[in-house]
Amino acid sequence: MSEVSKIRTFPPSKESWGGEAAFEGTHRKGELRGIIKINQDNCVGCDTCTAFCPTEAIKGSLGVAHAISTNKCVACGQCLVNCPFGAIEQMSFVDEIMKKLDDPKAFVVAHPSPAVRVSIAEEFGGTPGDLTINRLYNAFEKAGFHNYDVNFAADQTILEEGTEFIKKVRYWVLGERGEDLEHVAHHPLPHFTSCCPAWVKNAETFHPELIPHISGAKSPIQMGGALAKTWAAEFVWKKDPRDIYMVSVTPCTAKIFEASRPEFNSAYEHLKAESKIPQETPSFQDIDAVLTARDAAEIFRRKGINPLTMSDEREIETMNVYTGAATIFGASGGVMEAALRTAYFILSGTELSNPDITLVRGYEQDIVEATIPVPLKALNGKIINVKVAVVNGASRNIKEIVKRLIDDKNQYHFVEVMNCPGGCVNGGGQPVRTMGTSWLHPLLPLPLRA
Amino acid sequence: MANERVLKFPMSEKMFHNINMVTWMILAITGVLIYFKLVSEATASLMMTFHIGIAIVFTLNFVGFVVLNADRFFLMLRNLLIWDADTFAWFKNLGGYPRRLFGIPFGPVEVAPQGRFNAGQKITYLFFIFMIFGLIVTGWLLYFMAPVLGKTTMVYFFNFHVWGSIIATVMAVGAHLPLAVINIEDFKAMFRFGSGDVPLEDALHHAPKWVENDLVKVSTLEQPLKAHH
Ligand code: SF4
Ligand code: SF4
């Protein structure tokens, strides 16, 4: 096992949210930009990072300090984890969150994604798996957070996404028409997953022709944020939603961007529409701040907490209950697998006999394809072959998939795209190891994997 | 004997050495200017293109020498790698150079008889050969394979390439060059147009064991003696 590298961070500045203009380049007003930055003084111009960038956002010739084009960058952080010289830095909200934790009025909620519970252990010298979920919850609690597991919301995303896919199958494959299907009339198959914010931003900027295909379901983190400030605030925590400060803890740097998207203030809109908050309340986001796994470890360090030494005992809480489907969400192919299980059940009326659809999970191949025969309950068991694909690491594969789709629109029904090779577990916010690269990693025998 | 000369540097070695020297210096200067950000970005970019172009010549020169003159190369390696008691004895007074150059009475007055290369040269030249090989390998790996090398390997290779070349250049300019100028007959043999021979007298003084063990007489008088293969 190699060492965990220290990654430099910087706080957001006023300009990070843009000026008054509705659009600045590819960013809307309020959207965070410049989340990943190359420190020109530390960059030796080795050019390694350019090979990992999915959007060719990195400029600079060999030997010359490189720079990131804000307009092209999707904030995935793959360049950061693969820079051998530690020259790439990440925008961090650690200071702001530390202040919130000291604010007695603020009800600060940690919203941890499944992939971080594996990785935070590494920041404290443990091996992946050393940190049980209870230890992590207890550590957050000791630091002053309340817990709300993303997995709880991931189950809702799966239901939403599965239901949406079923409607698309009914409309586009079975030719059904009806009021409940109208909204999918402009959203043809193939159905693309939407939970990877780097992929969504990539599609919006570089492949706008794919936008109608992308799922309308929000990512689990965003669903969680909205639920926390509406349902949980009212029924579980019994708190004024304006005092709730949602902190998503993620393996992903692009989630920092996602949280700032202006449309992700559903709780605010809902609460205002329902007159549950004063009309003059300024808008607030569903997720107030994002911590990467590295940032969360930094908070623990500043608070003198080693999550590995926390107790493993804990009562089961409403906000931390979830299924196995939610847990696999962060693995490549996991979203699709989870949604397919749901879709299979609803379309066929039976459980998928082998729910571990291994063909679509894992990262040994760049693009994994599978065909799953689904007997349709509505058509007396007539079988449709659902063709699925998992794009593993958009940096190398998204162009290939787009080309295939343009060549043959009927090639797939369901496409999962994860920007990072291997999915969220290999995200740009995870602890960075001194050895290894995202590219070689999958080729190494397990004991050698960094 | 006064007119007898021995061939110290055959044409292939001279060509290799001189092309290597010129390309090395260009690579070192461009490399330092780029690494220490001493020029503008546009100039650095241009210099890197130049650095890579010259690196091709540098590489071909080394590979060409090794492949086309394998016998010479291995003979040279043999000369560098054979270490006998006299080679080690050289260190007792560092070949008498501290006494000769700086008047420091270091070790015995008598210098142990040396072969074609003295012990100091053996270490230095082996280091230079290793560095040439290492810089070629790391340079091209950094150029073609950076994303798949693995980060730690990449940093090691990069530091070897940058700092190894700086150290070797300082050694070449600060030690190898002045000592070569002191051994003026060697210097002239290396840089004069035509044959790279030195007076037999000079060879007997600096490298008596080489003359004794390795050289054969190929003709009399002003013709150079040729080394054994
Ligand atoms: S990988 Fe790091 S050091 Fe190399 S060019 Fe990119 S930012 Fe600079
Ligand atoms: S963060 Fe991702 S998109 Fe942005 S420059 Fe780095 S690799 Fe490219």
Side-chain angles (χ1 to χ4, degrees):
Chain A
M1 268 262 192
S2 54
E3 299 289 308
V4 171
S5 313
K6 173 98 184 93
I7 297 296
R8 291 185 189 87
T9 57
F10 58 94
S13 68
K14 257 200 194 148
E15 294 74 48
S16 303
W17 283 272
E20 283 308 306
F23 276 96
E24 278 174 23
T26 58
H27 290 88
R28 289 172 293 169
K29 186 181 164 192
E31 280 180 340
L32 277 170
R33 59 215 70 188
I35 291 164
I36 305 294
K37 190 174 83 180
I38 295 178
N39 184 325
Q40 302 274 300
D41 293 335
N42 297 335
C43 174
V44 299
C46 70
D47 213 32
T48 308
C49 50
T50 55
F52 294 93
C53 179
T55 57
E56 292 166 16
I58 303 173
K59 299 171 291 189
S61 53
L62 195 63
V64 174
H66 285 35
I68 294 174
S69 153
T70 312
N71 283 335
K72 287 183 168 180
C73 177
V74 297
C76 67
Q78 281 301 304
C79 54
L80 179 152
V81 295
N82 286 295
C83 170
F85 298 90
I88 309 187
E89 303 178 355
Q90 174 223 309
M91 184 185 288
S92 161
F93 288 80
V94 166
D95 293 338
E96 182 179 319
I97 292 164
M98 288 295 284
K99 276 190 208 136
K100 279 283 169 191
L101 288 169
D102 289 338
D103 176 354
K105 196 163 171 270
F107 187 84
V108 187
V109 180
H111 194 36
S113 301
V116 299
R117 63 169 97 147
V118 180
S119 62
I120 288 179
E122 299 178 51
E123 287 274 348
F124 292 89
T127 52
D130 279 359
L131 185 58
T132 60
I133 191 62
N134 282 346
R135 287 202 172 103
L136 184 63
Y137 291 156
N138 287 335
F140 276 126
E141 200 167 88
K142 190 170 179 199
F145 292 90
H146 301 265
N147 283 289
Y148 173 15
D149 202 302
V150 168
N151 277 351
F152 182 89
D155 275 330
Q156 274 123 1
T157 305
I158 291 158
L159 280 173
E160 284 292 333
E161 184 132 13
T163 311
E164 187 184 13
F165 178 62
I166 291 159
K167 285 186 177 172
K168 286 187 181 178
V169 169
R170 285 171 58 205
Y171 188 93
W172 291 99
V173 178
L174 306 178
E176 287 181 29
R177 295 294 179 265
E179 223 174 277
D180 65 323
L181 299 180
E182 253 164 37
H183 71 281
V184 294
H186 304 293
H187 297 281
L189 292 168
H191 175 89
F192 276 72
T193 53
S194 62
C195 43
C196 171
W199 147 241
V200 172
K201 177 84 177 129
N202 185 334
E204 286 172 339
T205 310
F206 299 98
H207 308 286
E209 69 276 20
L210 292 182
I211 293 175
H213 296 264
I214 297 176
S215 168
K218 286 188 201 178
S219 68
I221 289 176
Q222 289 304 328
M223 285 198 189
L227 283 167
K229 292 187 176 182
T230 52
W231 170 76
E234 188 170 352
F235 300 108
V236 184
W237 297 319
K238 305 193 186 344
K239 287 276 161 197
D240 183 335
R242 290 169 297 172
D243 293 337
I244 294 179
Y245 186 80
M246 281 298 288
V247 180
S248 135
V249 186
T250 97
C252 172
T253 45
K255 289 287 178 195
I256 301 172
F257 165 76
E258 184 191 73
S260 71
R261 294 181 67 120
E263 67 272 27
F264 288 152
N265 64 345
S266 320
Y268 166 78
E269 296 291 354
H270 170 79
L271 293 164
K272 221 168 80 156
E274 299 282 313
S275 297
K276 290 188 173 171
I277 51 172
Q279 292 302 306
E280 66 279 10
T281 308
S283 176
F284 52 78
Q285 294 295 101
D286 295 332
I287 295 292
D288 296 283
V290 174
L291 288 175
T292 61
R294 295 186 296 266
D295 294 334
E298 175 61 17
I299 292 217
F300 290 145
R301 274 191 289 267
R302 288 197 196 176
K303 295 250 174 201
I305 297 167
N306 180 347
L308 296 177
T309 60
M310 298 303 294
S311 156
D312 199 20
E313 300 294 315
R314 204 176 162 84
E315 295 282 311
I316 294 176
E317 297 148 296
T318 316
M319 303 305 286
N320 297 329
V321 178
Y322 48 85
T323 68
T327 312
I328 62 169
F329 214 90
S332 180
V335 182
M336 179 189 295
E337 179 178 334
L340 274 179
R341 290 191 209 176
T342 309
Y344 187 96
F345 178 75
I346 295 175
L347 287 168
S348 70
T350 53
E351 286 284 355
L352 188 56
S353 55
N354 172 16
D356 222 3
I357 311 165
T358 43
L359 266 178
V360 294
R361 186 134 53 104
Y363 51 45
E364 276 68 27
Q365 280 164 281
D366 288 347
I367 302 173
V368 186
E369 299 172 349
T371 302
I372 297 152
V374 181
L376 296 172
K377 184 173 57 178
L379 295 180
N380 296 326
K382 183 182 173 228
I383 286 178
I384 60 158
N385 287 316
V386 176
K387 289 178 273 180
V388 299
V390 175
V391 182
N392 207 332
S395 52
R396 283 162 292 158
N397 305 315
I398 195 62
K399 283 192 189 132
E400 170 65 19
I401 277 279
V402 173
K403 191 179 158 295
R404 282 194 208 176
L405 281 173
I406 290 166
D407 291 349
D408 177 6
K409 282 244 187 308
N410 297 323
Q411 195 154 1
Y412 304 112
H413 295 103
F414 202 140
V415 183
E416 177 182 322
V417 186
M418 290 264 184
N419 179 89
C420 302
C424 308
V425 285
N426 202 16
Q430 294 284 61
V432 173
R433 295 214 151 267
T434 48
M435 276 302 285
T437 78
S438 302
W439 286 16
L440 266 193
H441 186 90
L443 306 177
L444 293 175
L446 272 174
L448 296 181
R449 287 185 186 177
Chain B
M1 175 168 150
N3 288 331
E4 279 186 292
R5 300 183 72 81
V6 294
L7 181 63
K8 183 104 189 233
F9 304 117
M11 193 48 77
S12 59
E13 273 183 37
K14 284 179 65 160
M15 272 180 65
F16 164 69
H17 176 272
N18 294 340
I19 295 174
N20 186 69
M21 179 189 71
V22 173
T23 50
W24 179 293
M25 290 318 295
I26 298 173
L27 291 169
I29 292 165
T30 50
V32 163
L33 291 175
I34 296 166
Y35 180 74
F36 292 104
K37 298 185 168 82
L38 300 174
V39 287
S40 73
E41 285 194 359
T43 314
S45 180
L46 193 72
M47 281 199 168
M48 183 52 92
T49 312
F50 196 50
H51 188 85
I52 291 159
I54 295 294
I56 297 172
V57 181
F58 182 79
T59 307
L60 290 178
N61 182 45
F62 180 71
V63 174
F65 178 63
V66 173
V67 173
L68 301 176
N69 299 282
D71 51 353
R72 276 276 156 212
F73 179 71
F74 288 108
L75 183 65
M76 188 174 77
L77 273 188
R78 187 173 170 274
N79 284 326
L80 292 171
L81 290 169
I82 291 178
W83 286 57
D84 57 15
D86 284 330
T87 314
F88 289 104
W90 184 91
F91 291 100
K92 287 183 187 160
N93 60 0
L94 293 179
Y97 285 103
R99 190 182 301 272
R100 237 174 82 200
L101 299 178
F102 308 110
I104 301 168
F106 178 74
V109 177
E110 274 302 302
V111 179
Q114 300 294 297
R116 184 181 175 199
F117 305 112
N118 66 39
Q121 287 169 326
K122 282 180 179 178
I123 291 178
T124 316
Y125 299 172
L126 281 171
F127 172 69
F128 284 151
I129 292 171
F130 170 74
M131 284 311 298
I132 292 167
F133 177 73
L135 291 172
I136 289 172
V137 170
T138 53
W140 292 118
L141 283 175
L142 290 170
Y143 185 66
F144 285 113
M145 306 278 289
V148 291
L149 279 181
K151 286 182 284 180
T152 304
T153 320
M154 171 82 187
V155 172
Y156 282 140
F157 279 17
F158 187 87
N159 285 334
F160 176 90
H161 199 79
V162 171
W163 295 107
S165 59
I166 289 174
I167 291 166
T169 306
V170 168
M171 279 179 68
V173 176
H176 179 54
L177 178 65
L179 288 171
V181 173
I182 289 167
N183 287 330
I184 193 66
E185 288 301 338
D186 276 13
F187 188 81
K188 285 197 280 189
M190 180 56 81
F191 291 109
R192 86 160 69 86
F193 282 107
S195 177
D197 51 59
V198 296
L200 175 59
E201 200 180 342
D202 189 77
L204 277 169
H205 174 71
H206 286 292
K209 290 178 98 171
W210 177 52
V211 176
E212 190 185 317
N213 300 332
D214 290 347
L215 298 188
V216 286
K217 196 167 200 159
V218 289
S219 61
T220 53
L221 288 175
E222 281 147 47
Q223 290 296 309
L225 288 157
K226 290 230 164 89
H228 270 305
H229 283 202

